[in-house]
Amino acid sequence: MPEFRRSAWLHLGLQVLCAGVIWFCIAFGPLGSITPLQAIRVELPPRNNSDSDKDKSASQAPTIRWDEQQPGCTFSRGYDGKYSYGLWSGDVGVVLAVDAREVEMIRHRIEPVFAVLLTLRYRGLASLEADAGGTTLQFVKHFKVIQPALDPDSYIEKIQADADALDDDMRRAVAKHPEQKQAREASLQDYQKSVNELIEFLGKNSLRTAHLDSANPQVQGWVFFDTKSKWLGGWKEQEEFVLRVPLDGKIFEFPFKLPPEKGKFLLQKRQ
């Protein structure tokens, strides 16, 4: 084949090859991005967004953020060992109270829950349905994980089911090792006592849905968040949180730290 023909064919082949590569990139993206999905396993912290409709409406709601320098915002240190953050917007007020040593106390509970005391107030002339079911707590220094508030009734059922399962395991263990019966039964009784106390507290003191009006302007109760997660733990010297309470078509947002200043705790006054 003459030299000029070989060059022409080579030039044509290169044009066809370039055109094919360009078409392939347009159709399927850059070559570097062609990686089997099965080979990519990036595990991200949970978002806990089980209800997309609620998430969408919450994202559209205006956020009222607590700031001690802003009108309608208050902060106080109580003799009961709690920090209190108050936030008013219009006729609705929310007060967050959290124990100064809440992070330390988590590890001493039979269930690793983070607890806050919420007070919802209404001073309008109409009425307000107060429901803390959509409340969330964000753990800022732990991948910014957001935990939803635990439903008290469902959580009570879980605690009781776990206690029943432990009782069954204990009985099987005693059957295999009867010499350990006394020690195991004593341990189980202590555990059952703690479970009963926790269940009673959850049933009586959890924040419930309430109808607020001039005759019934306030409701108060505890809200709990699960910390049993691989994304949480290894608590820092100072932890940062963001509590969000959806109420009256708004998001009441409380950024806070425990303790508010590193190395300083609020001690409970002796009775």
Side-chain angles (χ1 to χ4, degrees):
M1 179 182 293
E3 187 67 26
F4 76 91
R5 288 188 178 181
R6 186 165 24 211
S7 299
W9 279 106
L10 179 60
H11 182 69
L12 178 61
L14 288 174
Q15 287 183 325
V16 172
L17 178 61
C18 290
V21 171
I22 293 173
W23 176 86
F24 188 86
C25 290
I26 294 175
F28 297 100
L31 291 175
S33 66
I34 305 173
T35 306
L37 294 179
Q38 293 82 355
I40 303 176
R41 295 191 61 185
V42 180
E43 194 171 2
L44 299 176
R47 290 187 56 193
N48 298 304
N49 292 333
S50 58
D51 192 331
S52 59
D53 293 335
K54 287 185 178 180
D55 295 338
K56 184 176 180 180
S57 61
S59 64
Q60 296 173 347
T63 297
I64 313 299
R65 187 176 177 86
W66 183 93
D67 185 333
E68 193 175 7
Q69 305 302 320
Q70 296 298 321
C73 299
T74 61
F75 174 74
S76 63
R77 298 174 174 86
Y79 288 119
D80 60 352
K82 295 184 180 64
Y83 298 107
S84 294
Y85 305 80
L87 177 56
W88 277 93
S89 176
D91 293 328
V92 179
V94 179
V95 178
L96 158 67
V98 58
D99 196 286
R101 297 183 179 272
E102 180 59 32
V103 174
E104 292 185 6
M105 293 191 295
I106 292 174
R107 63 175 64 94
H108 300 297
R109 294 170 178 152
I110 60 172
E111 290 288 331
V113 292
F114 189 102
V116 299
L117 180 64
L118 288 184
T119 304
L120 310 181
R121 295 172 177 167
Y122 179 69
R123 59 187 178 190
L125 299 178
S127 63
L128 174 68
E129 294 299 320
D131 180 11
T135 301
T136 62
L137 182 67
Q138 183 174 25
F139 297 78
V140 176
K141 291 187 176 181
H142 299 264
F143 303 97
K144 298 185 178 180
V145 166
I146 298 176
Q147 293 287 76
L150 292 168
D151 176 72
D153 295 325
S154 299
Y155 197 53
I156 287 173
E157 292 179 2
K158 174 188 177 300
I159 294 172
Q160 187 61 63
D162 291 344
D164 293 341
L166 181 62
D167 182 74
D168 292 339
D169 292 341
M170 189 72 72
R171 293 182 185 280
R172 286 192 291 268
V174 168
K176 294 180 179 180
H177 304 281
E179 72 280 3
Q180 301 177 2
K181 179 179 180 180
Q182 185 174 356
R184 287 181 177 272
E185 286 185 346
S187 176
L188 181 61
Q189 288 177 1
D190 291 340
Y191 177 76
Q192 287 286 5
K193 179 181 178 182
S194 298
V195 167
N196 293 336
E197 291 175 350
L198 177 58
I199 288 177
E200 182 179 4
F201 184 87
L202 288 169
K204 290 183 177 180
N205 301 287
S206 295
L207 183 62
R208 304 286 184 173
T209 301
H211 180 83
L212 302 183
D213 52 28
S214 58
N216 183 38
Q218 175 178 304
V219 63
Q220 184 182 75
W222 289 89
V223 181
F224 303 90
F225 304 90
D226 192 7
T227 64
K228 190 183 295 182
S229 167
K230 66 179 180 179
W231 304 107
L232 302 175
W235 304 110
K236 317 299 181 184
E237 179 182 355
Q238 184 186 55
E239 289 288 348
E240 298 181 17
F241 308 90
V242 180
L243 181 81
R244 297 182 176 92
V245 183
L247 189 63
D248 193 34
K250 308 169 187 175
I251 303 295
F252 289 77
E253 186 174 88
F254 295 86
F256 65 98
K257 300 177 182 180
L258 289 180
E261 298 179 22
K262 285 187 177 180
K264 292 186 178 181
F265 291 94
L266 179 62
L267 299 179
Q268 186 171 351
K269 185 178 180 179
R270 291 184 178 179
Q271 301 296 329

